[in-house]
Amino acid sequence: MTAGWFITFEGGEGSGKSTQAKRLADRLTAAGHAVTVTREPGGSPFAERLRAIILDPNLEKHSPLAEALLFASARADHLEQVIRPALAAGHVVICDRFSDSTRVYQGYAGRVEPRLLEALELIIVQHTKPDLTIVVDIPAEIGLARAALRLNPSPAAQAPSEKIPKQPRGLLADRFESRGLDFHKKLREGFLEIARLEPQRCVVVDGQSSPDDVARNVFAAVESRLFTEAR
Ligand SMILES: Nc1ncnc2c1ncn2[C@@H]1O[C@H](COP(=O)(O)OP(=O)(O)OP(=O)(O)O)[C@@H](O)[C@H]1O
Ligand SMILES: [Mg+2]
């Protein structure tokens, strides 16, 4: 049992995870909670180095299992260096993607045997399972269009509410963003399937409404699932 709360954001490309992770962090910080916001792949200096390799659009053809092990390695370091210490200090840890992304990208929509991924998750995540996972759900087409706009924004095309600071990224779509529509449809299906199978942990939030509305629904889920529960 950890002292803090562990909240993860999951969902397809451009669904609004990073936007909402930041909004939730700001709101919880303003309410007086100690908050750590982090992301995967990455989140610790070593894991960020692995992230740069994993998402490199020019990466050589490689084994899907080797890639899954890189994700696992990054996650092990991130948990040890950042997530577990923050939880032990009583922080609310908000993580932008976590193990459900591995299950879906590498397993459900990918080419790694899900049982292998399950075994890796057991070894690496151990007892540090998310207390709450918010699945931000949007049709793949809309998410991809948003991600494309973000890579190549035109000021006229961006509403003020969409001008939200984001983590630095290159000008190229990463290796996952550049996969076809069918892959992204499958991702959506995979995240919804996890939420269906683990309703205790997961809440699906409609990502198509305005950022303010999504943020309200996210906060309502956090309040009802976490802050009203006795531990
Ligand atoms: N509810 C919303 N309505 C319209 N646009 C949005 C909404 N939420 C976020 N956006 C915009 O869509 C783009 C993608 O949002 P964001 O980066 O938060 O998504 P993400 O899920 O983190 O994407 P990725 O999987 O690529 O990291 C950004 O330009 C963001 O400003
Ligand atoms: Mg993001």
Side-chain angles (χ1 to χ4, degrees), residues 17-19 96-97 150 167 169:
K17 299 175 298 297
S18 302
T19 303
D96 185 350
R97 291 195 184 281
R150 184 185 49 192
Q167 285 147 335
R169 46 195 307 141

Side-chain angles (χ1 to χ4, degrees), residues 11 17-18 36 41-42 44 69 75 86 100 102 125 135 147 152 168 194 202:
K17 299 175 298 297
S18 302
T36 293
S44 64
L69 291 168
R75 179 161 302 137
D100 296 319
T102 302
V125 176
V135 174
N152 190 10
I194 290 173
C202 301

